[in-house]
């Protein structure tokens, strides 16, 4: 079991930085970019009106009923692929499948090296043929596309979109590659791979295009859609001393996270990452490059804010709101074990009350874990408090534990403190202050900035057995409901580890953050929830057909059942919760309602408007009901 599954900022991070803080008194592919080929110039040079005329049209009636596979007679000819390659400046690549290294022998050196690399998210991110999650037992297993366009800009993306549409190909998009649902890979497909589009430019006075009369200039950062959060935080916080709301995990892609809504450690104060989107450059299914913001294509803009990735268009650039950086951030981490089921119930009950009274505000985010071995593990972060203030907050709870020392054993001592926020993602500063919080890309020549939180290591290359989420309404924190919530958490913990992610529910957030969240496509339940509950389980890198590295199907199914039973205990008290599209069950029932609530109807309309023929398909995405599960055949 991976006890910290889905945890982007774990206890270890908190403990290590606070530990260091205490000790030191505030130790608190691509090829190089080739000259951009202007699509319009290319069209002019070729004398074509539309790129689509460069490749032969298939004999299918449009819209396609069945997409074309390499084994079909209608698969584009080599000459057609060659023309696409020319259109994208030589950046069409045939996709390798790294796991082939193990197909002939799983004992060879090549296979061993591969499995070591599968624990490195930067190796995975640099390989267009694999994904950060390798699969889901009984759900999916990662498979390479046939070809990938390693896009440099919107024009490359448009050329790939036109080619896929006109040849009835299955099209797939990959940024950071972190989809748990496998929505950024598909066999027999053409991939648009944005990995190398990661420029970041900060502007002090950004006004969305067409919004001059309604929007005051404000600081913003524009990033290429292949940017991962480590790169965005480096540009905005470490280098420029400002704040941008992104995700917790450093290797998640900006475009994928924003389109699913997106939460980071400090979202309880700053709100949803998607709510900070000011403008996007998007290529829609008709091959047009569009600007989407509050004043231009505002329906598309709204859908991009939480309507799910790979569905409404292919984003080439995103401009995000930039804010002032508070001076301090920090955390609190410790683990307590109860001596019996009864004392564990009491501990949970006490913690629920303490959370409501002391932590249910925009200072505190991240997680509490409740596990079957009667442990409560705290790995929380705070914003804007100094060390003394943050310790004072926890003192009443720690006093209560101390008074019941026969019932409760502190397994790891409380580490509570703060540090300068500017250095939160600062690799050099963390190193200098002996904060052992990051793992680093150890490949020769790798950038020293290629790091990921220790706590995220368990999910690199993993295979999922079960993963479910549920928004927990704040009404459960009322005096007369706390007992019910505590009992549900206890009952759930009999089946597996339950995580409450407090930063992924906006009850307790500032009104401005809640209002901004309401203007996104995410399930409105998020605004009334004090936390997102997550239950997940999985195993280290594995792949079907590789001896000694096979997914453990029997164990996986059992674990998947346990995850489901565990979550059902919480559903019994939070039935209307809904789930977070990006962190949810591959087999989610009624996903439309669960992910988007009443917003689904509007999303479906926008999908019909911008992609009437369903070129963009992802598993359990808006409009996916009209296709077979593999996205190849229209139902
Ligand atoms: C280890 C780990 C930690 C995570 N931590 C958090 C967290 O702290 N907070 C949080 O909110 N979520 C978190 N997530 C969930 C994550 O935000 C989503 O899985 C997100 O969609 C991943 O984006 P990506 O670009 O990395 O992945 P991808 O798999 O590349 O993309 C995800 C989806 O977006 C689509 N997409 C990607 N790029 C584009 C584009 N340019 N245009 C259109 N569609 C595109 C893809 O087709 C796919 O459907 C985590 C996931 C993992 C695996």
């Amino acid at each position: 079991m991976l006890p910290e599954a889905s945890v982007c900022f774990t206890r270890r991070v908190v403990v290590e930085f606070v530990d260091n803080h205490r000790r030191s008194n505030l130790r608190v592919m691509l090829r190089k970019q080739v000259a951009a080929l202007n699509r319009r110039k290319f069209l002019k040079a070729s004398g074509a009106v539309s790129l689509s005329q460069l490749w032969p049209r298939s004999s299918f009636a449009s819209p396609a009923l069945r997409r074309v596979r390499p084994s079909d007679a209608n698969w584009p000819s080599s000459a057609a692929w060659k023309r696409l390659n020319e259109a994208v400046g030589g950046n069409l690549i045939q996709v390798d499948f790294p796991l082939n290294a193990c197909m002939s022998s799983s004992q060879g050196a090549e296979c061993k090296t591969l499995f070591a690399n599968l624990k490195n998210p930067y190796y995975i991110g640099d390989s267009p043929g694999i994904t950060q999650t390798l699969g889901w037992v009984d759900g999916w297993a990662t498979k390479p596309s046939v070809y990938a366009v390693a896009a440099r800009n919107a024009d490359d993306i448009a050329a790939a979109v036109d080619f896929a549409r006109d040849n009835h190909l299955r099209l797939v998009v990959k940024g950071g590659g972190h989809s748990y649902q496998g929505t950024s890979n598909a066999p027999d497909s053409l991939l648009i791979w944005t990995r190398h589009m990661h420029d970041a430019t900060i502007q002090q006075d950004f006004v969305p295009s067409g919004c001059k009369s309604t929007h005051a200039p404000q600081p913003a950062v524009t990033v290429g859609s292949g940017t991962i959060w480590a790169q965005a935080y480096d540009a905005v916080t470490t280098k420029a001393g400002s704040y941008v709301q992104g995700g917790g995990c450093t290797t998640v892609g900006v475009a994928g996270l924003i389109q699913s809504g997106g939460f980071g450690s400090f979202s309880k104060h700053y709100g949803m990452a998607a709510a900070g989107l000011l403008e996007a450059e998007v290529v829609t299914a008709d091959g047009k490059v569009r600007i989407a913001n509050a004043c231009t294509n505002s329906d598309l803009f709204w859908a991009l804010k939480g309507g799910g990735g790979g569905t409404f268009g292919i984003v080439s650039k995103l401009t995000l709101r930039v804010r002032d950086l508070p001076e301090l951030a920090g955390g609190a981490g410790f683990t307590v074990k109860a001596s019996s089921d009864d004392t564990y119930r009491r501990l949970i009950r006490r913690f629920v009350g303490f959370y409501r009274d002391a932590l249910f505000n925009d200072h505190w985010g991240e997680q509490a874990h409740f596990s079957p071995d009667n442990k409560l593990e705290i790995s929380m972060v705070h914003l804007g408090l100094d060390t003394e203030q943050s310790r004072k907050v926890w003192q009443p709870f720690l006093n209560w534990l101390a008074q019941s020392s026969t019932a409760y054993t502190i397994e790891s001592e409380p580490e509570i403190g703060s540090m300068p926020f500017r250095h939160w993602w600062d690799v050099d500063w963390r190193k200098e202050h002996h904060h052992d919080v990051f793992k680093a890309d150890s490949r020769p020549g790798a950038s020293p900035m290629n790091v990921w939180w220790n706590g995220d290591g368990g999910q690199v290359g993993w295979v999922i057995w079960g993963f479910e989420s549920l928004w927990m309404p704040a009404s459960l924190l009322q005096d007369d409901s706390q007992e019910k919530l505590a009992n549900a958490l206890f009952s759930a913990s009999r089946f597996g580890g339950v995580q409450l992610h407090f930063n992924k529910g906006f009850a307790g957030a500032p009104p401005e953050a809640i209002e901004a969240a309401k203007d996104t496509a995410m399930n409105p339940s998020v605004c009334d929830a004090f936390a997102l509950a997550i239950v997940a389980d999985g195993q280290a890198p594995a792949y079907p057909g590789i001896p000694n590295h096979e997914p453990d199907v029997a164990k996986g199914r059992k674990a998947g059942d346990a995850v489901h039973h565990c979550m059902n205990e919480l559903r019994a008290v939070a039935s209307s919760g809904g789930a977070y599209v990006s962190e949810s069950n591959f087999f989610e029932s009624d996903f439309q309602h669960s992910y988007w609530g009443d917003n689904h109807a509007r999303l479906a309309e926008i999908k019909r408007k911008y992609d009437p023929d369903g070129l963009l398909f992802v598993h359990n995405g808006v409009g996916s009901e009209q296709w077979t599960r593999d996205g190849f055949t229209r139902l």
Side-chain angles (χ1 to χ4, degrees), residues 582-634:
S582 266
E583 297 183 316
S584 63
N585 191 354
F586 182 85
F587 309 100
E588 190 80 28
S589 60
D590 189 16
F591 69 87
Q592 299 89 337
H593 184 256
S594 182
Y595 295 160
W596 298 291
D598 290 347
N599 287 330
H600 180 261
R602 185 174 170 203
L603 286 170
E605 226 173 86
I606 295 168
K607 174 72 175 171
R608 278 193 293 274
K609 174 174 169 188
Y610 287 96
D611 185 16
D613 295 336
L615 177 69
L616 298 166
F617 165 93
V618 297
H619 173 75
N620 284 357
V622 173
S624 61
E625 316 82 351
Q626 291 160 26
W627 294 85
T628 49
R629 226 176 76 173
D630 61 4
F632 269 86
T633 308
R634 190 188 278 276

Side-chain angles (χ1 to χ4, degrees), residues 351-360 477-479 482:
F351 177 72
V352 164
F354 173 69
Y355 174 80
R356 204 278 310 271
D357 295 344
L359 305 171
F360 181 40
L477 294 176
Q478 285 166 8
D479 287 343
Q482 288 183 6

Side-chain angles (χ1 to χ4, degrees), residues 189-371:
S189 65
L190 171 62
L191 171 70
I192 294 175
W193 190 43
T194 60
R195 178 76 169 175
H196 301 281
M197 295 168 59
H198 56 73
D199 286 351
T201 313
I202 296 177
Q203 297 171 60
Q204 291 311 319
D205 47 6
F206 178 79
V207 180
S209 158
C211 290
K212 267 210 172 92
S213 58
T214 50
H215 285 58
Q218 62 179 310
V221 62
T222 299
V223 295
S225 60
T227 305
I228 58 172
W229 287 106
Q231 294 163 334
Y233 295 144
D234 184 52
V236 175
T237 301
T238 309
K239 295 213 167 76
S242 299
Y243 184 80
V244 60
Q245 183 55 60
C249 179
T250 58
T251 53
V252 159
V254 172
L257 181 122
I258 292 287
Q259 288 176 89
S260 59
F263 306 95
S265 297
F266 307 102
S267 277
K268 199 69 151 193
H269 178 74
Y270 292 106
M272 198 190 301
L277 182 69
L278 300 175
E279 184 168 284
E281 181 186 76
V282 199
V283 180
T284 41
D286 55 5
K288 283 199 177 128
V289 182
R290 298 173 197 259
I291 293 297
N293 61 39
C295 310
T296 312
N297 297 314
S298 57
D299 51 357
L300 179 60
F301 179 60
W302 177 81
L304 293 174
K305 296 193 291 179
T311 302
F312 299 95
I314 298 173
V315 177
S316 43
K317 276 185 201 164
L318 304 100
T319 301
L320 302 168
R321 183 177 173 191
V322 163
R323 308 185 223 204
D324 292 342
L325 192 69
E327 198 189 331
L328 296 171
F334 59 93
T335 305
V336 195
K337 185 169 166 58
S339 58
S340 67
D341 288 359
D342 276 353
T343 55
Y344 192 45
R345 265 182 200 279
R346 277 214 302 279
L347 177 65
I348 295 175
R349 175 69 185 82
R350 188 79 189 191
F351 177 72
V352 164
F354 173 69
Y355 174 80
R356 204 278 310 271
D357 295 344
L359 305 171
F360 181 40
N361 56 56
D362 66 335
H363 288 293
W364 291 92
E366 289 293 348
Q367 304 162 31
H369 295 191
F370 307 86
S371 46

Side-chain angles (χ1 to χ4, degrees), residues 313-612:
I314 298 173
V315 177
S316 43
K317 276 185 201 164
L318 304 100
T319 301
L320 302 168
R321 183 177 173 191
V322 163
R323 308 185 223 204
D324 292 342
L325 192 69
E327 198 189 331
L328 296 171
F334 59 93
T335 305
V336 195
K337 185 169 166 58
S339 58
S340 67
D341 288 359
D342 276 353
T343 55
Y344 192 45
R345 265 182 200 279
R346 277 214 302 279
L347 177 65
I348 295 175
R349 175 69 185 82
R350 188 79 189 191
F351 177 72
V352 164
F354 173 69
Y355 174 80
R356 204 278 310 271
D357 295 344
L359 305 171
F360 181 40
N361 56 56
D362 66 335
H363 288 293
W364 291 92
E366 289 293 348
Q367 304 162 31
H369 295 191
F370 307 86
S371 46
D373 56 356
N374 292 345
K375 281 185 192 170
L376 168 66
E377 187 181 341
I378 300 299
S379 28
M380 295 188 67
V381 298
H382 67 73
L383 182 74
L385 303 176
D386 64 24
T387 294
E388 202 184 323
Q389 288 167 325
S390 53
R391 288 184 182 160
K392 214 166 147 197
V393 169
W394 283 90
Q395 208 51 55
F397 188 68
L398 297 174
N399 289 346
W400 180 82
L401 288 172
Q403 280 158 16
S404 324
S405 58
T406 49
Y408 303 115
T409 310
I410 306 285
E411 290 209 330
S412 64
E413 286 299 319
E415 312 275 4
I416 303 170
S418 63
M419 61 174 276
F421 199 158
R422 181 151 191 179
H423 300 303
W424 195 261
W425 295 285
D426 182 342
V427 179
D428 291 336
W429 190 92
R430 292 278 195 174
K431 215 182 272 171
E432 227 172 85
H433 292 78
H434 309 287
H435 288 199
D436 182 19
V437 294
F438 291 128
K439 290 194 191 311
D441 181 354
S442 57
R443 293 174 300 164
S447 160
M449 308 311 290
N450 286 4
V451 296
W452 62 101
W453 296 114
N454 289 332
D456 285 333
Q459 291 184 76
V460 183
W462 73 326
V463 174
I464 298 177
W465 290 344
F467 197 128
E468 300 191 13
S469 70
L470 179 72
W471 274 299
M472 304 296 290
S475 55
L476 289 168
L477 294 176
Q478 285 166 8
D479 287 343
D480 56 356
S481 296
Q482 288 183 6
E483 188 82 21
K484 185 168 73 170
L485 171 61
N487 285 338
L489 287 166
F490 175 81
S491 305
S493 73
R494 301 306 88 187
F495 293 100
V498 182
Q499 308 164 9
L500 290 182
H501 293 230
F502 302 111
N503 51 314
K504 296 177 181 171
F506 295 134
E512 190 216 350
I514 296 174
E515 278 314 300
K518 284 183 181 159
D519 188 25
T520 71
M522 191 181 265
N523 189 329
S525 293
V526 68
C527 295
D528 302 323
F530 74 93
L532 181 75
I534 291 182
V535 183
D537 206 348
Q539 69 178 93
Y543 197 77
I546 301 179
N548 305 317
H549 293 291
E550 293 257 25
D552 191 333
V553 174
K555 211 167 162 189
R557 285 179 184 159
K558 220 170 142 200
D561 283 349
V563 165
H564 193 61
H565 288 309
C566 182
M567 201 51 109
N568 279 346
E569 295 294 330
L570 299 185
R571 285 192 189 100
V573 298
S575 55
S576 61
Y580 173 34
V581 57
S582 266
E583 297 183 316
S584 63
N585 191 354
F586 182 85
F587 309 100
E588 190 80 28
S589 60
D590 189 16
F591 69 87
Q592 299 89 337
H593 184 256
S594 182
Y595 295 160
W596 298 291
D598 290 347
N599 287 330
H600 180 261
R602 185 174 170 203
L603 286 170
E605 226 173 86
I606 295 168
K607 174 72 175 171
R608 278 193 293 274
K609 174 174 169 188
Y610 287 96
D611 185 16

